[in-house]
Every structure is written in structure tokens, then in C-alpha cells.
Amino acid sequence: MSRPGFVLEVDERTPPLLVHEGEGFRLERFPLGTQVIYPPDAVPGVPDLDAAVDAALAGPEGSAPLAELLTPGTKLTIVFNDLSVPTPPMAAPDIRSRIIEAVLEVAAATSVDDVELIAATGLRRRLTPAELRSLVGDRIYASFHPDHLRCHDAEDRATLTLIGSTDEGEDVEVNTRVADSDLVVFVNVNVGAVTGGALSCVAGLLSAASSGHLYGVPGGEIVAGALPDAGLRAADERMAALLEAKVKVFRIDSTLDNSMFPSRLSFVYKREWEWSLKDQGAFLTAQRANSLTPAKLRHRLWHNLRAPYRVTGITSGEPGAIRTRTLAQVDAQQRTEVSGQSDIAVFGLPYSGPYSVNSITNPVLVAGLGLGEFFNAYRGRPLVRRGGVVILYHPVPLSFHPVHHPSYIDFYDEVLAGTTDPSTLSQKFEKQFAQDEWYRHLYRNSYAFHGVHPFHVWYRACRARDYVGDVICVGADRQAAARLGFRTASTLADALEMATGSVGRSPRIAYLHNPPRTLADVR
């Protein structure tokens, strides 16, 4: 039994605390009284993974066993989420490959030979052949790629089908192979409530136009008592209901522990006052090596990290029947109860997020990571009160991946230079980026995110930005942060002094400790 999550109140005995800041860590002293929110220790992994996979397929919830859903002639499509989860990427073998192999074995035993595999990439970039291979494994890749293993294309009119409209008037266009299937098996990794994969499989299989119903809504209230991104969840449920009325969907969810870094960095999992001399030495060695390594090599080393996650649970069956159980498994690993909201929330941002795997976390993605991912790591209410202040640790380098993020470059240089207002962006610029033929070409034929993708990331960040009174970045590039509408500070003390205009001189401060992942259940 792992230790539960813990909230530390900083006092005179508290040592400096580990803070993630892009491609590096620092130790930071927080003011007395700061609430530091630690996740539970890593929960036990499944002792026999192969047996757990077989048991899930044979004993699903709300559905007949997988073998009974397959007969000769069944048109079977296996859908799996892409490298946007988990981050850091999982060390080989990826759990998705093990589950897909088990599904294929059941299909072979029931004489099913019409099988296609689709990565549910949505408007995210195509995966390279090497990335696809890392997800599905060598055997599956060699057997199915390229004719029967591919990424979803949200702009290929020949492979998209309109399956209907929701009660809210949302046209739902999905991948034609999926719409025409007798059975869709969705192989899903969960590391969070929304971004970690709790959305239905339809989210990554929509056309570009239909994706706008999910992600392209500027504004949206943050309501106490509701889960984060409530509007996105509701739209997803409406669209999923249409798909599931047309096609049988069998979902297989896996959940992971918090083992995000290799053993040489195991100090990140420990509470700082429990660090041994060996842990202290490991931190100092890693910090010094990181600072002395040339920037390009340092970037490569960080992005080559593969996490030794352990699988904590596998659940399968009808999507609605297993959702609650899956989220409970995620919560068991990450959730910590917190008493009340704070005036200031502090987040240390890592080197990579869901849209910068094997890439660069550009300034727009920093905003999405801090105000989309980390801000939304809560239950009940946000960690920070309305009108409060968010302090982010990240250098916010003025750097973009030219292959993966071409539309982000133009969004930053041309659009944000004039306005950061989401309604103005939606009305004046979104259609231009969404329909730009060059962006479409790069999305379909290279490895670029869709032209409209930065708008969707920005809209989500703006919900949090409109909720808080100020965002201050510690150690950030001043020009890049200013373009985002953020202020910068050299130190935490400077950031706290700058925040006094919004929260006074005796604020309540909370630090959401990361790594590993933490979910604040704010009561």
C-alpha cells in the first residue's frame, strides 16, 4: 500500500524544494506557510501484465467478452492514442503494443482477417515511422505498416464520413474506416482526467471541422464543483454517443503509476526532507551535468528519456461502464486533498508536454502547458481562487520546431503580436489558418500540427487566464512572455512582490509539486 498524498506547510525546518523548469530542475525555498501538495507514492503495478490483459478481454464490464464480439467476416478497427500521452514517453514495450497484440491474437483465433490499425492523432501531427514502431512494437509494425497501420487524417475528404449531428447542432464527421466497422477497439492510456485520455475515441478521429466543436470554443466559464473542461467533456460525450449508436465500441483502458524518470533521477519521487546523502549527491550531479551540457545536446538527452512506468490497472468493456473505474485508478495515483483555494498557485513546468514530444516546447505551448494542463490538475475547484495569481517556472525560450509547428510560428509572430483576445482571434484569424493550403499540405504530407491547432491550445489557456488576475513567469525570456501577456520575474521573491497588487502582502500560496504528477482535490 503506497503512502497517500500529503500537503506540507512550509516551516523553518523545511529544506529547499525541487521545482521543474523546462530542461532542468532547481531547488527553491518557499515562504513560510506555503502549502506544498505532494501526490501519493507510486501505487503497486499489476504483477502479471499478460494475465491482466487476458482477463480484461475475457471479463469486460457492460459488454460480452471480446472473443464473442468477433466472428469470421467482422470488420475490425483498432484505434489507439498517440504519443501525446503519456509524457515522458513510455519505455519499451509500450503497454499499447502488448494490448494490441492480445487483441490481434483473439481476432486470429476467431478467423477475423479484415483488421486496420489507426492512430487517433486528430489535429496533431502524424507520427513518424519510428514513432509508430515504438508504440505498436516491431511485430505489429512489420505486419501492418503501411497498408493497414496509419495515422488519422482530418483533412482527407475521401476518408471522412458524416454520421449525424448532435442535439446541439454539432456535425460529427469521423474516419470512414471507423464508421464502417463492425467493431472498434479503442486501446487507451490514461494519465489524467482529460488530456490523459479520458475522452472518447471519437476525439482523435474527427474531421478538422468537427474538431472545432470540441476544442475551438473561445471562452467558457470555470465553474466550482464541475470537472475541468466541462464544456469539452459534454461535447465529446454527445459526439461519442452518435458514434456508439452506429458502431460497437469496445474500450480497453490502462492506467500508469508515477514512475516518470529513470532510476538515476529517483530523487524526484521523494519528499525533500527524506533525501539521503546519495539523493542529494545525485541531484547535484544531475544539475551540474545539465548546466554544463551544450543546449542542443541537453535538449536531445531530455527528449530521449523514456519513463519506466508500471501499469496499475487494465479495464475493458463498454466505454460508459468503465469510465468511472478508470478515473478512480488515475485518482488513486495522483489525487491529494487540499483544504481551500489559494491566492497564488505555483507550477514548475517540465521540458515537454503533450504537443512537444520529440519536439520543442515553444512559447504558445508553454501557455497551454501551464494554463491548460497544470492549471486544470484539480478536482472540485481550481487550486487558485478567481482573481488570484499563477506563477510558472519555465524559461519560455523563443524557439519553435520548424517541421512540427509551422502554424505556431505564424500564430506567434503575426497573430499574438496584434491581439491575445480569443474572440478576436476566432473571428479574424482562425478560418484563415484552418483553410490555409500550405498548412494543410504540411499536416497531411509532413509531420506538422494542423494550421488551427495553436488556436485551440490558446483558447484553453485563455479560460484560465481570464479566471486569474495575473500570470508571472520566473526565469522566462522577457520578450516571449510579454507576447503571451505574461509578466516575468528573475526570482520567486520578485514574483511574489509583483503579485502583491493582486493578492496583497500576506497571500496564501500553494505549490503543486511536480514531478511526479499531482492532482489537487480542492475542498
Side-chain angles (χ1 to χ4, degrees):
M1 187 74 178
S2 66
R3 289 188 300 179
F6 173 71
V7 178
L8 166 75
E9 183 171 317
V10 171
D11 60 21
E12 295 84 353
R13 300 166 298 172
T14 305
L17 304 178
L18 186 72
V19 179
H20 215 151
E21 51 177 358
E23 294 175 357
F25 299 105
R26 73 162 69 185
L27 289 178
E28 184 71 271
R29 284 199 177 276
F30 282 81
L32 299 180
T34 298
Q35 304 289 302
V36 184
I37 302 151
Y38 290 89
D41 289 346
V43 302
V46 173
D48 186 334
L49 194 53
D50 290 333
V53 172
D54 291 341
L57 301 186
E61 297 185 22
S63 169
L66 178 64
E68 295 181 16
L69 300 177
L70 298 172
T71 58
T74 296
K75 181 181 283 191
L76 170 64
T77 301
I78 302 173
V79 175
F80 54 95
N81 47 20
D82 64 5
L83 282 177
S84 59
V85 289
T87 54
M90 192 175 191
D94 192 290
I95 181 57
R96 283 162 286 200
S97 70
R98 301 182 75 161
I99 294 174
I100 292 171
E101 283 195 4
V103 172
L104 291 173
E105 289 172 1
V106 175
T110 51
S111 301
V112 173
D113 54 15
D114 186 353
V115 182
E116 298 274 343
L117 283 75
I118 301 175
T121 47
L123 300 183
R124 299 179 295 278
R125 67 175 178 87
R126 292 191 309 144
L127 304 182
T128 67
E131 290 169 335
L132 266 178
R133 184 187 291 271
S134 74
L135 276 185
V136 302
D138 292 338
R139 289 171 53 191
I140 295 173
Y141 184 86
S143 300
F144 287 87
H145 190 267
D147 295 333
H148 303 288
L149 167 62
R150 62 187 184 278
C151 295
H152 171 65
D153 187 340
E155 287 286 3
D156 184 2
R157 303 308 310 171
T159 62
L160 294 167
T161 295
L162 177 66
I163 60 172
S165 298
T166 69
D167 293 340
E168 298 294 323
E170 300 146 334
D171 289 340
V172 183
E173 269 187 319
V174 300
N175 188 286
T176 297
R177 168 69 195 199
V178 169
D180 291 345
S181 295
D182 299 309
L183 179 66
V184 175
V185 174
F186 181 35
V187 179
N188 179 53
V189 175
N190 288 268
V191 292
V194 174
T195 55
L199 292 180
S200 70
C201 68
V202 74
L205 300 169
L206 295 170
S207 68
S210 292
S211 293
H213 299 310
L214 279 182
Y215 305 106
V217 182
E221 277 294 304
I222 295 172
V223 180
L227 290 172
D229 289 319
L232 186 155
R233 294 168 184 270
D236 176 66
E237 289 177 3
R238 292 190 295 268
M239 293 182 173
L242 275 180
L243 179 64
E244 291 165 18
K246 180 178 178 61
V247 180
K248 173 67 177 177
V249 176
F250 186 91
R251 179 167 172 144
I252 309 170
D253 279 0
S254 56
T255 53
L256 307 177
D257 73 353
N258 252 337
S259 300
M260 299 170 64
F261 291 96
S263 59
R264 67 180 182 276
L265 300 176
S266 61
F267 57 83
V268 305
Y269 307 124
K270 301 180 181 180
R271 296 162 187 178
E272 289 83 352
W273 62 91
E274 297 176 344
W275 282 11
S276 65
L277 289 175
K278 181 179 179 181
D279 295 323
Q280 295 174 42
F283 168 78
L284 292 172
T285 299
Q287 186 184 49
R288 179 167 176 77
N290 196 64
S291 66
L292 294 176
T293 302
K296 288 185 178 180
L297 177 58
R298 181 171 64 243
H299 178 82
R300 190 178 312 122
L301 291 173
W302 276 103
H303 283 266
N304 283 340
L305 281 178
R306 293 297 179 263
Y309 299 110
R310 292 184 293 270
V311 177
T312 60
I314 298 177
T315 309
S316 74
E318 191 275 324
I322 68 173
R323 182 179 292 117
T324 300
R325 181 175 171 184
T326 297
L327 290 179
Q329 290 173 336
V330 173
D331 283 3
Q333 177 57 91
Q334 299 179 14
R335 185 172 62 86
T336 298
E337 289 188 10
V338 180
S339 178
Q341 293 179 294
S342 294
D343 302 304
I344 297 175
V346 181
F347 304 121
L349 305 185
Y351 65 95
S352 181
Y355 310 133
S356 56
V357 176
N358 300 330
S359 189
I360 293 172
T361 305
N362 64 58
V364 179
L365 290 179
V366 171
L369 187 61
L371 299 184
E373 311 301 322
F374 276 72
F375 178 90
N376 282 319
Y378 70 85
R379 289 280 189 271
R381 296 182 291 172
L383 184 59
V384 61
R385 66 168 173 81
R386 185 177 295 277
V389 174
V390 167
I391 295 177
L392 306 175
Y393 279 81
H394 196 281
V396 197
L398 192 52
S399 181
F400 294 81
H401 196 294
V403 175
H404 296 165
H405 300 131
S407 63
Y408 277 81
I409 298 173
D410 295 337
F411 180 80
Y412 176 88
D413 284 339
E414 300 171 11
V415 177
L416 292 185
T419 180
T420 60
D421 175 66
S423 295
T424 304
L425 296 179
S426 175
Q427 294 168 12
K428 291 187 63 176
F429 300 104
E430 183 180 325
K431 185 176 181 180
Q432 170 191 337
F433 276 65
Q435 298 181 356
D436 186 280
E437 289 301 327
W438 180 238
Y439 294 149
R440 280 177 170 165
H441 171 78
L442 295 177
Y443 164 77
R444 298 195 61 201
N445 300 291
S446 181
Y447 299 101
F449 283 76
H450 193 278
V452 80
H453 197 266
F455 289 82
H456 295 174
V457 170
W458 188 254
Y459 296 155
R460 189 163 184 243
C462 283
R463 294 188 181 99
R465 182 65 187 90
D466 291 343
Y467 173 88
V468 301
D470 202 358
V471 179
I472 303 170
C473 296
V474 176
D477 179 286
R478 188 175 299 274
Q479 176 187 344
R483 180 66 57 86
L484 303 175
F486 302 164
R487 297 200 288 166
T488 57
S490 299
T491 65
L492 176 60
D494 289 344
L496 294 174
E497 179 65 28
M498 294 165 63
T500 58
S502 298
V503 298
R505 292 200 168 273
S506 300
R508 181 176 182 179
I509 304 169
Y511 168 43
L512 192 73
H513 197 283
N514 174 71
R517 292 185 184 90
T518 313
L519 181 70
D521 187 357
V522 184
R523 302 300 177 92

